[in-house]
Amino acid sequence: GEGGAGTFSDGKLTTGIKDSRCRFVFQEFVSHGAPEDILTNAKPHIGTDKLKETVKAIREEIISLGGTILFETQLTNIIVANSFIHGVTVKDKYGKERDIETDALILSIGHSARDTIEMLYGKGINMMQKPFSVGARIEHPQEYINSVQYGDFKNHPKLKAADYKLACHPPHGRGAYTFCMCPGGTVVCASSQKGGVVTNGMSEYARDKENANSAILVGVEPADFPTEHPLSGFQLQREIEEKAFRLGGSDYSAPATLVGDFLKGQKSTKLGSVKPSFTTGVTMGDISEVLPQKVVNTMRDALVQMDKKLKGFAMDEAVLTAPETRSSSPVRILRDEFYQTNIRGLYPCGEGAGYAGGIVSAAVDGVKCAEAVLSDET
């Protein structure tokens, strides 16, 4: 789709990187229709509804400048000679393939383009395993989050839907944290392969839906991967996503468990006061059957610890919808100081290549790769 999965995300622009290019990225968004308040807000947010139009405007400018956009087109091969890129092979929706000549290819492929990464590995591109995180989406009533965060001011007209950011780091063990918190948002199906279920979260600009949601994630290290193969992280993701598909009923419903039941280690049979927003529906059950046991144990400890920081976070009737497996890429495509792989002229970029963890950091990495291409051309 246009803009990849990020177009249908929350459009949050918070980032931990310190790079002067961030300002350029924000200004580009605004010049293509994003709300101007992202230039000044401490927690800038475009919103899924506005982000789609912003990305469309960027595409229209690319075309006006002479660029070509190939929708419904798959990259199936890279043409290499003497360790230099000479072109690519692409396939359209009718299955027709053609070659495109190029001596510079920026790979902004996203962290779910498994088929492309597997093809590149088969062509001898150097890669390595990379840590990532696994967990589930947790949903509470937004009214509750507002009440806890704002107190007596919870209904003040100038206050927007409240958010939170929580983390816990046990002295001996894995850390857990909330990620991509979506005030007044929706939990959505982000499956990209047949027979697998994946969750994600999004909010429109108004953030006015009934529930608040966020991922609650636990770090997974390469030592936890099934094998030492560079792409083994994909295997772990697939195993979790396929288990979720089966537990959800094999119809792209997601398995869900009430927090109270999850903490007790038991299956949920019915919903409580919190109505899950997952777009393709949920099937009540035990999400611990889907996630690695180490992740389950850490999530249980984290819920108790996080409840001490945000009272009621572990409320019995809050809903956990699983799994969240795509917070970042489980592989890194290796590149040098010139942003190129062992195949010269090939520039791996952004989240899918393992060099970014969000919209802004991915955009900044794209700018760096573009600068590297231009520098190499001069």
Side-chain angles (χ1 to χ4, degrees), residues 256-262 266-271 283-286:
T257 306
L258 300 186
V259 167
D261 292 329
F262 182 73
Q266 63 189 33
K267 176 181 179 180
S268 290
T269 57
K270 62 180 181 179
L271 290 168
T283 299
M284 302 309 293
D286 182 3

Side-chain angles (χ1 to χ4, degrees), residues 259-333:
V259 167
D261 292 329
F262 182 73
L263 291 174
K264 295 173 186 174
Q266 63 189 33
K267 176 181 179 180
S268 290
T269 57
K270 62 180 181 179
L271 290 168
S273 59
V274 181
K275 182 180 179 182
S277 61
F278 191 69
T279 47
T280 50
V282 301
T283 299
M284 302 309 293
D286 182 3
I287 66 167
S288 66
E289 297 178 19
V290 170
L291 301 169
Q293 193 58 50
K294 292 179 180 178
V295 171
V296 171
N297 293 341
T298 303
M299 285 177 61
R300 286 179 177 144
D301 290 342
L303 284 164
V304 173
Q305 296 300 318
M306 291 175 179
D307 190 77
K308 296 176 182 178
K309 300 177 181 181
L310 193 69
K311 192 63 180 174
F313 186 77
M315 64 169 61
D316 284 349
E317 296 185 354
V319 177
L320 288 164
T321 306
E324 172 106 7
T325 53
R326 309 283 184 89
S327 60
S328 65
S329 177
V331 65
R332 174 168 289 134
I333 304 175

Side-chain angles (χ1 to χ4, degrees), residues 21 24-25 349 362-372:
R21 298 173 184 85
F24 168 77
V25 170
C349 174
V364 167
D365 199 56
V367 174
K368 290 178 179 179
C369 285
E371 291 169 351

Side-chain angles (χ1 to χ4, degrees), residues 112-182:
S112 295
R114 293 168 177 167
D115 57 339
T116 306
I117 294 175
E118 287 165 356
M119 179 272 290
L120 294 169
Y121 181 78
K123 299 293 288 188
I125 307 300
N126 293 335
M127 303 181 189
M128 64 178 289
Q129 295 179 341
K130 179 181 138 319
F132 67 109
S133 297
V134 169
R137 282 270 154 183
I138 186 168
E139 284 191 275
H140 303 87
Q142 182 62 51
E143 184 178 359
Y144 149 72
I145 301 296
N146 291 346
S147 178
V148 173
Q149 297 291 63
Y150 294 148
D152 293 340
F153 295 95
K154 64 181 180 180
N155 294 319
H156 196 286
K158 290 189 177 181
L159 290 176
K160 297 181 179 180
D163 62 6
Y164 58 80
K165 185 176 182 180
L166 302 169
C168 60
H169 302 280
H172 303 289
R174 299 161 186 251
Y177 60 98
T178 60
F179 173 78
C180 185
M181 194 274 154
C182 302

Side-chain angles (χ1 to χ4, degrees), residues 11 28 46 97 115 150 170 205 207 213 232 247 254 264 299-300 342 367 373:
E28 283 296 298
I46 296 178
E97 290 191 331
D115 57 339
Y150 294 148
Y205 182 69
R207 289 179 162 173
N213 76 78
S232 183
L247 189 61
K264 295 173 186 174
M299 285 177 61
R300 286 179 177 144
N342 54 307
V367 174
V373 171

Side-chain angles (χ1 to χ4, degrees), residues 5-312:
T7 303
F8 300 95
S9 73
D10 193 34
K12 279 187 289 292
L13 303 181
T14 49
T15 181
I17 67 170
K18 307 295 182 184
D19 193 295
S20 60
R21 298 173 184 85
C22 289
R23 185 68 179 178
F24 168 77
V25 170
F26 279 72
Q27 290 171 335
E28 283 296 298
F29 275 126
V30 170
S31 69
H32 290 89
E36 288 193 25
D37 60 20
I38 66 172
L39 297 174
T40 53
N41 282 351
K43 297 178 180 178
H45 167 248
I46 296 178
T48 311
D49 48 339
K50 295 182 182 294
L51 186 59
K52 288 185 288 186
E53 294 304 313
T54 302
V55 173
K56 179 181 177 181
I58 292 172
R59 182 246 298 173
E60 290 173 343
E61 182 179 2
I62 290 171
I63 294 173
S64 73
L65 295 171
T68 301
I69 309 294
L70 302 177
F71 288 115
E72 298 181 300
T73 302
Q74 180 185 12
L75 175 67
T76 58
N77 189 32
I78 57 172
I79 302 167
V80 179
N82 299 319
S83 297
F84 280 81
I85 188 86
H86 284 264
V88 298
T89 303
V90 297
K91 181 170 66 175
D92 66 19
K93 63 180 179 180
Y94 303 108
K96 183 179 179 181
E97 290 191 331
R98 68 185 178 98
D99 295 339
I100 301 173
E101 291 185 14
T102 184
D103 60 0
L105 175 64
I106 296 179
L107 287 164
S108 304
I109 52 178
H111 58 45
S112 295
R114 293 168 177 167
D115 57 339
T116 306
I117 294 175
E118 287 165 356
M119 179 272 290
L120 294 169
Y121 181 78
K123 299 293 288 188
I125 307 300
N126 293 335
M127 303 181 189
M128 64 178 289
Q129 295 179 341
K130 179 181 138 319
F132 67 109
S133 297
V134 169
R137 282 270 154 183
I138 186 168
E139 284 191 275
H140 303 87
Q142 182 62 51
E143 184 178 359
Y144 149 72
I145 301 296
N146 291 346
S147 178
V148 173
Q149 297 291 63
Y150 294 148
D152 293 340
F153 295 95
K154 64 181 180 180
N155 294 319
H156 196 286
K158 290 189 177 181
L159 290 176
K160 297 181 179 180
D163 62 6
Y164 58 80
K165 185 176 182 180
L166 302 169
C168 60
H169 302 280
H172 303 289
R174 299 161 186 251
Y177 60 98
T178 60
F179 173 78
C180 185
M181 194 274 154
C182 302
T186 306
V187 181
V188 297
C189 182
S191 300
S192 62
Q193 291 192 327
K194 187 176 181 180
V197 164
V198 184
T199 68
N200 197 2
M202 55 167 259
S203 297
E204 295 185 345
Y205 182 69
R207 289 179 162 173
D208 58 358
K209 298 295 189 293
E210 182 178 353
N211 290 347
N213 76 78
S214 75
I216 177 168
L217 298 177
V218 177
V220 177
E221 299 293 328
D224 303 309
F225 294 3
T227 71
E228 294 183 359
H229 191 282
L231 306 187
S232 183
F234 286 150
Q235 182 182 343
L236 177 59
Q237 287 179 326
R238 284 192 180 103
E239 289 174 358
I240 295 170
E241 293 161 12
E242 289 168 0
K243 285 179 183 177
F245 179 76
R246 293 191 294 270
L247 189 61
S250 299
D251 61 356
Y252 294 95
S253 298
T257 306
L258 300 186
V259 167
D261 292 329
F262 182 73
L263 291 174
K264 295 173 186 174
Q266 63 189 33
K267 176 181 179 180
S268 290
T269 57
K270 62 180 181 179
L271 290 168
S273 59
V274 181
K275 182 180 179 182
S277 61
F278 191 69
T279 47
T280 50
V282 301
T283 299
M284 302 309 293
D286 182 3
I287 66 167
S288 66
E289 297 178 19
V290 170
L291 301 169
Q293 193 58 50
K294 292 179 180 178
V295 171
V296 171
N297 293 341
T298 303
M299 285 177 61
R300 286 179 177 144
D301 290 342
L303 284 164
V304 173
Q305 296 300 318
M306 291 175 179
D307 190 77
K308 296 176 182 178
K309 300 177 181 181
L310 193 69
K311 192 63 180 174

